[in-house]
């Protein structure tokens, strides 16, 4: 199979047998146990969904009606779709504990062109997610400063599209660069920080729920679904951003002490913990304050301010900033590991897959961090959130499809976790993800399409020719088990 046979070359599959051997020479350090992996998953799932998007979807915006207390249903719908994908990820993670996550799963099961598309897709989506979360942190940081009597000028806390006279979101840019620096210190340091920060985050959310339940006014639940069921479904497509994170966590598989055993457990545990907290938190938020009065950028801070607890609102704003940082760290880790994996496979230049003494791919870490800072500084949160959702939903379609194909093509491959009710569960994941994708605005589809066309051009101009799976590639000799190229 060579580059002279393009129809077959784009469908070549990466042999699963090579992956364990590749992992031994990756340059990444193995230092993450089950609880650190679970913390990374919870850290990636819980954050801006509770502290920003719940309020945004409940309250609505100029072009999107608020769904009110029915935001709870939006989260449940998104969570159900996400659960089907999570089980698919768990089965693959138990077989293929590799840094590429969905990119690698698609490459192994469906072929190189599918793997490329999903990897290219995730590069943009993960960077955009980091930007969305940074914008959410900026909102809480502004609320915290306002609570202690300091008011930052609008020109440096909002973008031009928000209509507040803003120019650039400076706090969002700075937090992106801070998170990039933390991740650049190495996986061991990152893992310790994530475990502590996630513990603080969970305690904060339990505190919010425990205190907020005493200030619920049941009159705020009426009407429960003020805009009908249609906006609730559209809201599910937006809050879907809040119910994944385990996918980015799975990119750390090569840095796990026992990836095949721990990754499936960490994926499932992180989603269960997150959904329980989401359901309780949305009930408290919409019960404390009428949905029309919720601040879409700092929902819980405004809710406690509304019930006469400004000190609590200030405390929430402080700890929300810290807790949301974990989401940024998880997804920045994700984009750097996917980028690293694509580079190692020859689909992108090998310059990107170089690691330093910390076992960290510094080059892609800083490129991704600076890119997310740019997006966070100049784009509003709703546009960036929708852009991330369409990409992740596309990844879920690929992973759920791949697990079906691979179960029937390789039924005897060693699996530490087997997805139940095959193929019903992953098929539901495919249909649910496609349905949620159709709820997004056409502008989001256009941006997504343009990005994929750029990726297609890069693949045919560079990736297909330089792939380690291509016998004619100048880098083919780097492939594990490959014979050196013959003299010509």
């Amino acid at each position: 199979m060579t580059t002279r046979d393009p129809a077959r070359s784009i469908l070549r599959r990466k042999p699963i047998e090579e992956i364990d051997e590749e992992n031994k020479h990756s340059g990444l350090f193995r230092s993450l146990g089950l609880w650190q992996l679970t913390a990374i998953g919870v850290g990636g799932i819980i954050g801006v969904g509770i502290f920003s998007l719940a309020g945004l979807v409940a309250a609505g915006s100029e072009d999107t009606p608020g769904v009110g207390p029915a935001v709870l249903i939006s989260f449940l719908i998104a969570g159900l779709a996400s659960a089907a994908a999570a089980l698919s990820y768990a089965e693959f993670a138990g077989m293929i504990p590799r840094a590429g996550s969905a990119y690698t799963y698609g490459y192994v099961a469906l072929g190189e062109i599918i793997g490329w598309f999903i990897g290219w897709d995730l590069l943009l989506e993960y960077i955009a997610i980091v930007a969305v979360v940074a914008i959410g942190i900026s909102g809480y940081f502004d609320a915290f400063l306002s609570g202690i009597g300091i008011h930052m000028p609008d020109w440096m806390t909002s973008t031009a599209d928000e209509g507040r006279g803003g120019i650039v979101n400076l706090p969002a840019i700075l937090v992106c660069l801070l998170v990039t620096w933390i991740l650049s210190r190495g996986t061991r340091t990152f893992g310790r920080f994530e475990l502590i920060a996630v513990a603080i985050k969970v305690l904060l959310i339990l505190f919010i729920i425990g205190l907020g339940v005493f200030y619920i006014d049941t009159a705020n639940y009426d009407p429960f679904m003020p805009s009908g069921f249609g906006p609730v479904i559209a809201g599910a497509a937006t809050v879907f951003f809040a119910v994944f994170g385990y996918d980015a966590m799975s990119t750390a598989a090569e840095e796990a002490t026992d990836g095949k055993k721990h990754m499936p457990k960490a994926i499932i545990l992180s989603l269960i913990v997150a959904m329980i907290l989401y359901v309780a938190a949305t009930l408290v938020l919409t019960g404390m304050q009428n949905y029309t009065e919720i601040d879409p950028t700092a929902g819980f801070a405004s809710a406690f301010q509304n019930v006469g607890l400004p000190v609590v609102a200030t405390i929430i704003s402080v700890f929300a900033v810290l807790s949301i940082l974990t989401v940024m760290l998880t997804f920045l880790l994700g984009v750097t590991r996917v980028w690293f994996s694509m580079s190692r496979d020859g689909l992108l230049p090998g310059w990107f897959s170089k690691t330093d003494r910390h076992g960290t791919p510094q080059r892609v870490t800083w490129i991704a961090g600076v890119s997310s800072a740019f997006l966070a500084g100049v784009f509003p949160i709703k546009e960036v959130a929708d852009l991330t959702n369409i990409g992740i939903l596309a990844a879920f379609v690929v992973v759920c499809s791949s697990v079906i194909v691979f179960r029937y093509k390789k039924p005897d491959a060693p699996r530490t976790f087997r997805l139940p009710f095959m193929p019903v569960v992953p098929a539901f994941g495919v249909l649910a993800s496609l349905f949620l994708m159709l709820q997004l605005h056409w502008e989001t589809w256009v941006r997504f399409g343009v990005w994929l066309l750029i990726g297609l051009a890069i693949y045919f101009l560079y990736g297909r020719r330089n792939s380690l799976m291509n016998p004619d590639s100048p880098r083919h000799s780097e492939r594990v088990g490959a014979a050196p190229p013959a003299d010509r």
Side-chain angles (χ1 to χ4, degrees):
M1 190 179 298
T2 72
T3 55
R4 290 182 292 276
D5 186 7
R8 294 183 62 199
S9 67
I10 64 173
L11 296 176
R12 55 197 170 207
R13 294 178 175 85
K14 189 171 188 64
I16 192 172
E17 296 80 11
E18 292 183 0
I19 289 177
D20 282 342
E21 189 62 31
E22 284 183 349
N23 290 352
K24 295 177 184 177
H25 308 287
S26 69
L28 302 173
F29 294 171
R30 295 183 178 276
S31 57
L32 302 174
L34 173 61
W35 296 114
Q36 286 173 309
L37 289 169
T38 303
I40 293 171
V42 172
I45 299 171
I46 299 176
V48 75
I50 282 182
F51 294 110
S52 292
L53 287 184
L56 175 68
V57 173
S61 58
E62 291 183 4
D63 58 346
T64 306
V67 305
V71 66
L72 167 65
I73 299 177
S74 295
F75 272 100
L76 290 175
I77 293 171
L80 191 61
S82 186
L87 292 171
S88 299
Y89 270 89
E91 177 161 326
F92 266 123
M95 287 190 296
I96 311 171
R98 194 171 189 264
S101 184
Y103 152 72
T104 300
Y105 308 155
Y107 200 164
V108 167
L110 301 179
E112 186 171 279
I113 187 67
I114 303 299
W116 164 266
F117 264 127
I118 213 62
W120 180 252
D121 161 36
L122 291 178
L123 295 185
L124 175 64
E125 309 317 324
Y126 285 172
I127 288 173
I129 289 169
V130 176
V132 170
V133 179
I135 296 169
I137 287 179
S138 177
Y140 270 92
F141 183 67
D142 194 27
F144 162 67
L145 291 180
S146 297
I148 59 175
I150 299 174
H151 299 280
M152 297 178 68
D154 286 337
W155 71 263
M156 63 183 296
T157 58
S158 61
T159 62
D161 293 338
E162 293 181 60
R164 293 166 46 195
I167 298 175
V168 64
N169 193 330
L170 187 60
I173 291 174
L174 294 177
V175 78
C176 284
L177 297 179
L178 170 63
V179 166
T180 304
W181 179 81
I182 292 173
L183 189 59
S184 73
R185 296 299 86 199
T187 308
R188 189 183 301 275
T189 301
F190 156 73
R192 290 171 180 166
F193 177 87
E194 190 85 346
L195 191 59
I196 295 169
V198 167
I200 293 173
K201 174 194 294 192
V202 172
L203 289 174
L204 171 65
I205 295 170
L206 291 175
F207 168 74
I208 289 171
I209 294 169
L211 180 61
V213 73
F214 293 103
Y215 293 90
I216 289 177
D217 180 355
T218 55
N220 289 327
Y221 292 137
D222 186 22
F224 184 77
M225 196 180 294
S227 305
F229 195 64
V232 172
I233 295 293
T238 296
V239 302
F240 191 83
F241 172 87
V243 293
F244 57 85
Y246 51 81
D247 59 310
M249 178 260 285
S250 69
T251 66
E254 284 183 52
E255 292 152 281
T257 54
D258 188 348
K260 288 187 177 182
K261 179 180 178 182
H262 292 156
M263 288 302 302
K265 293 179 181 178
I267 288 171
I268 294 169
L269 279 172
S270 61
L271 185 60
I272 290 172
V273 170
M275 288 310 301
I276 291 172
L277 293 177
Y278 272 136
V279 168
T282 52
L283 279 172
V284 169
L285 175 63
T286 54
M288 289 180 66
Q289 190 173 22
N290 187 278
Y291 78 96
T292 59
E293 300 171 357
I294 294 174
D295 182 347
T297 61
F300 276 105
S302 72
F304 279 98
Q305 188 83 34
N306 181 65
V307 297
L309 295 174
V311 174
V312 175
T314 302
I315 293 171
I316 289 173
S317 296
V318 172
F319 283 98
V321 170
L322 174 63
S323 65
I324 296 176
L325 278 178
T326 64
V327 182
M328 296 180 67
L329 279 164
T330 297
F331 284 101
L332 191 60
L333 173 77
V335 68
T336 59
R337 274 35 177 189
V338 171
W339 202 331
F340 166 87
S341 191
M342 294 175 73
S343 171
R344 180 175 55 183
D345 288 339
L347 300 181
L348 289 172
W351 184 84
F352 294 119
S353 57
K354 303 298 181 184
T355 57
D356 68 355
R357 61 187 178 86
H358 299 294
T360 302
Q362 290 285 354
R363 294 166 179 173
V364 297
T365 297
W366 282 101
I367 293 171
V370 171
S371 299
S372 65
F374 171 75
L375 282 179
V378 300
F379 289 101
I381 189 169
K382 182 69 166 61
E383 288 187 13
V384 186
D386 283 348
L387 182 61
T388 65
N389 286 343
I390 193 170
I392 297 300
L393 286 164
F396 282 11
V397 169
V398 169
V399 172
C400 291
S401 301
S402 296
V403 80
I404 296 173
V405 171
F406 208 70
R407 178 74 74 89
Y408 290 104
K409 280 185 172 290
K410 295 278 188 179
D412 299 324
R415 291 171 169 84
T416 57
F417 173 82
R418 295 180 72 88
L419 183 153
F421 305 111
M422 174 67 77
V424 176
V425 171
F428 171 77
V430 171
L431 294 175
S433 297
L434 288 172
F435 179 74
L436 290 176
M437 288 174 74
L438 293 175
Q439 308 309 307
L440 297 169
H441 292 168
W442 66 268
E443 295 95 336
T444 303
W445 280 90
V446 170
R447 296 185 190 106
F448 183 60
V450 169
W451 179 253
L452 291 186
L453 286 175
I454 294 171
L456 187 66
I458 293 174
Y459 172 73
F460 280 104
L461 291 173
Y462 181 90
R464 186 173 67 92
R465 181 169 57 87
N466 289 277
S467 168
L468 269 62
M469 295 297 297
N470 173 17
D472 296 335
S473 167
R475 293 182 59 187
H476 181 66
S477 60
E478 298 175 28
R479 181 182 167 195
V480 173
D487 292 335
R488 296 186 179 180

